[in-house]
């Protein structure tokens, strides 16, 4: 059991890194929910924003180009090559080629379900079949004009630091669903 | 509180100063923990303590909570949607600030204090360099995605928790906070950073705008697609 969990963890972290590489690049069309603040702003039609009592006046920007709010799962391809972030022991046993649907996992703010593709015995693709819908997108588009704030895709840093500040892992549901798919691939 | 706590006192060999900090935090945990049946928090929740009998520390935290609630237009609330009284959104930062005050009073100049990702530093590290803080990748806890140099400011990160989300939108408790996964706030001290990080996270994407509007605070928001949005003065903490 322990060995299985270790190999599962290793694969899951590598898969997590693969996914991470993707989101570090240019968001695909399906990432509509990002509706970057720097590019689109809107005028209000109703939804209230908390007015902070200590706020300074913030400059408004040009009216929105509207974006469709429908979100679709997108295949996320692994970049080739995809090195693991840290040296890791090779998982024991090959995966059987094919496509495997993982269980639906609860990420609190929605459900996550992934489909894993194995080619040549390796994980080569992860597709989201379900991921939490950004229902706040339509709210965002209706919200009042927002300032231009700089955005960037997050990217791993290799620097050594004194400490780390972080919210805890929100990828638990992803790993859970992927793990289930990989369990089937190993069988 | 069930979270890792770190105390680093540069150049200090004796155990006593460390023990004082941990002892303070143990006392605070015993009083405020929602995981301890007989904490003051839980007894208050069960109606076993009249308001007139609240401890001075509890009164102080509640006053801070009320101030945060007003300043965030209700987005910070120690009352959870299920009715449970839970001040944990500000106790962490408040506890670190208490320890920091004692260290300064006792003449310590170079130190690092942390409870569960909320951090307060002073002076320089053991190599004589500015303390550095990484922002954890919300999608991979083994990675950091940003390196900050807080220069003595407090750092707090709010986000969806591994144990089950503890962040609610008090204005719409049935709707979970979607779209954002992590909000790091840098403020004048860790208590201020913590209370506003918690409040702003409950606002969803608007949270970063709220922080932008607060003088003396900077923020770094990460959404579920891995896109970060930062306040206009945030980049001064990158070096």
């Amino acid at each position: 059991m322990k060995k299985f969990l270790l190999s599962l963890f290793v694969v899951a972290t590598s898969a997590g890194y693969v996914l991470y590489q993707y989101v570090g690049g240019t968001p695909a069309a399906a990432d509509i929910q990002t509706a970057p603040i720097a590019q689109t702003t809107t005028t209000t039609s109703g939804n209230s924003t908390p007015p902070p009592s200590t706020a300074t006046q913030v400059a408004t920007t040009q009216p929105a180009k509207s974006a469709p709010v429908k979100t679709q799962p997108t295949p996320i391809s692994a970049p080739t090559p995809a090195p693991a972030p840290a040296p890791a022991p090779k998982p024991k046993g090959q995966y059987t080629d094919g496509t495997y649907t993982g269980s639906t996992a609860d990420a609190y703010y929605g459900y996550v379900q992934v489909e894993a593709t194995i080619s040549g015995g390796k994980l080569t693709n992860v597709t989201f079949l379900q991921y939490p819908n950004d229902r706040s997108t339509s709210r965002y588009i209706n919200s009042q004009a927002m300032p231009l704030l700089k955005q960037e895709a997050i990217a791993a840093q290799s620097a050594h630091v004194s400490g780390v500040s972080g919210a805890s892992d929100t990828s638990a549901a992803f790993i859970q669903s992927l793990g289930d798919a990989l369990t089937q691939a190993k069988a | 509180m069930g979270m890792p706590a770190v105390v680093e006192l540069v150049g200090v060999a004796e155990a006593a100063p460390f023990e004082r900090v941990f002892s303070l935090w143990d006392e605070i945990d015993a009083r405020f923990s929602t995981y301890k049946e007989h904490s003051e928090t839980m007894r208050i929740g069960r109606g076993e303590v009249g308001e007139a009998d609240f401890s001075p520390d509890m009164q102080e935290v509640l006053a801070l909570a009320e101030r945060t609630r007003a300043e965030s237009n209700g987005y910070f609330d120690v009352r959870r949607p299920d009715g449970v009284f839970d001040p944990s959104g500000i106790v962490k930062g408040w506890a670190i600030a208490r320890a920091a005050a004692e260290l300064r009073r006792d003449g310590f100049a170079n130190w690092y204090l942390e409870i569960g990702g909320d951090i307060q530093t002073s002076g320089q590290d053991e190599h004589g360099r500015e303390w550095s803080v990484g922002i954890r990748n919300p999608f991979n806890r083994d990675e950091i995605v940003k390196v900050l140099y807080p220069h003595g400011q407090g750092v707090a990160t709010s986000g969806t928790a591994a144990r089950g989300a503890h962040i609610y939108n008090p204005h719409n408790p049935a709707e979970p906070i979607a779209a954002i996964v992590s909000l790091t706030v840098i403020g004048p001290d860790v208590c201020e950073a913590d209370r506003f990080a918690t409040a702003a996270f409950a606002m969803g994407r608007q949270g970063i705008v709220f922080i932008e509007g607060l003088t003396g605070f900077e923020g770094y928001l990460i959404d579920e697609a891995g896109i970060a949005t930062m306040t206009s003065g945030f980049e001064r903490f990158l070096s």
Side-chain angles (χ1 to χ4, degrees):
Chain A
M1 188 57 181
K2 257 206 263 191
K3 262 194 242 169
F4 166 70
L5 285 177
L6 172 64
S7 56
L8 172 64
F9 172 75
V10 163
V11 177
T13 1
S14 311
Y17 182 80
V18 163
L19 168 67
Y20 169 79
Q21 280 275 33
Y22 169 79
V23 298
T26 314
D31 288 330
I32 290 160
Q33 73 264 26
T34 68
I37 295 171
Q39 292 167 20
T40 59
T41 54
T42 66
T43 45
T44 265
S45 91
N47 269 351
S48 63
T49 311
S53 55
T54 55
T56 54
Q57 187 59 37
V58 160
T60 58
T61 53
Q62 67 263 22
K65 306 163 218 173
S66 68
V69 307
K70 187 160 153 49
T71 55
Q72 301 249 357
T74 307
I76 296 169
S77 323
T80 39
K90 280 199 178 7
K92 261 197 148 184
Q94 288 276 341
Y95 291 105
T96 305
D97 287 6
T99 308
Y100 303 91
T101 301
S103 55
T104 302
D106 187 352
Y108 173 70
Y109 51 90
Y111 292 99
V112 172
Q113 185 183 34
V114 301
E115 182 186 72
T117 303
I118 310 290
S119 315
K122 293 188 171 58
L123 179 68
T124 54
N125 199 12
V126 175
T127 302
F128 279 110
L129 301 181
Q130 290 188 60
Y131 65 86
N133 241 333
D134 180 9
R135 287 178 293 139
S136 75
T137 302
S138 55
R139 264 209 334 255
Y140 169 80
I141 287 174
N142 287 329
S143 72
Q144 65 188 47
M146 304 226 295
L148 281 174
L149 295 176
K150 180 170 171 180
Q151 294 197 309
E152 65 187 8
I154 58 172
Q157 306 295 312
S158 56
H160 173 77
V161 289
S162 314
V164 178
S165 184
S168 310
D169 55 286
T170 54
S171 58
F174 170 84
I175 288 174
Q176 193 182 325
S177 185
L178 178 59
D180 183 62
L182 293 174
T183 302
Q184 300 166 47
K186 277 199 75 144
Chain B
M1 294 157 221
M3 274 174 276
V6 181
V7 177
E8 190 174 336
L9 306 176
V10 178
V12 174
E14 61 272 22
F18 295 90
E19 282 164 8
R20 282 199 291 275
V21 175
F22 286 116
S23 159
L24 168 68
W25 287 349
D26 282 344
E27 185 203 315
I28 290 173
D29 186 48
R31 181 183 309 286
F32 289 99
S33 177
T34 53
Y35 296 102
K36 295 188 154 89
E37 273 310 295
H38 300 291
S39 68
E40 189 177 349
T41 292
M42 295 303 275
R43 287 187 292 117
I44 288 172
R46 290 190 297 265
E48 293 167 20
V49 188
E51 245 187 272
D53 298 320
F54 289 178
S55 67
D57 280 358
M58 180 60 72
Q59 291 177 37
E60 189 178 318
V61 167
L62 288 175
L64 184 65
E66 181 49 36
R67 206 155 41 87
T68 312
R69 202 188 62 79
E71 288 166 351
S72 66
N73 208 40
Y75 274 82
F76 176 84
D77 197 336
V78 288
R79 188 66 63 173
R80 295 204 304 229
D82 57 3
V84 174
F85 167 55
D86 180 6
S88 55
I90 51 170
V91 171
K92 255 195 313 186
W94 179 83
I96 299 171
R98 279 283 298 272
E102 292 191 5
L103 289 176
R104 289 190 193 106
R105 178 201 68 198
D106 293 342
F108 294 99
N110 303 292
W111 41 263
Y112 171 104
L113 295 177
E114 175 188 344
I115 299 176
D118 284 5
I119 292 165
Q120 179 71 59
T121 56
S122 173
Q124 297 168 330
D125 69 14
E126 69 273 24
H127 304 296
R129 294 191 297 246
E130 283 298 319
W131 295 100
S132 54
V133 172
I135 296 180
R136 176 170 285 128
N137 181 350
F139 307 99
N140 183 346
R141 56 186 301 109
D142 297 325
E143 289 179 356
I144 58 174
V145 293
K146 212 70 184 164
V147 178
L148 309 176
Y149 299 89
H151 296 283
Q153 308 255 300
V155 183
T157 300
S158 208
T160 47
R163 291 165 209 217
H166 57 271
I167 312 285
Y168 302 86
N169 176 350
H171 294 296
N172 190 355
E175 184 179 333
I177 305 296
I180 66 171
V181 295
S182 170
L183 173 58
T184 300
V185 173
I186 306 174
D189 66 61
V190 66
C191 183
E192 295 291 281
D194 191 20
R195 68 193 187 101
F196 285 121
T198 306
F201 190 87
M203 301 172 192
R205 285 183 192 279
Q206 291 282 4
I208 195 68
V209 179
F210 172 70
I211 300 298
E212 172 75 6
L214 288 180
T215 312
F217 292 80
E218 302 297 338
Y220 191 83
L221 174 77
I222 302 176
D223 72 19
E224 59 193 356
I227 304 297
T229 308
M230 64 194 84
T231 52
S232 54
F234 177 80
E235 289 186 309
R236 70 185 167 97
F237 291 106
L238 301 182
S239 57

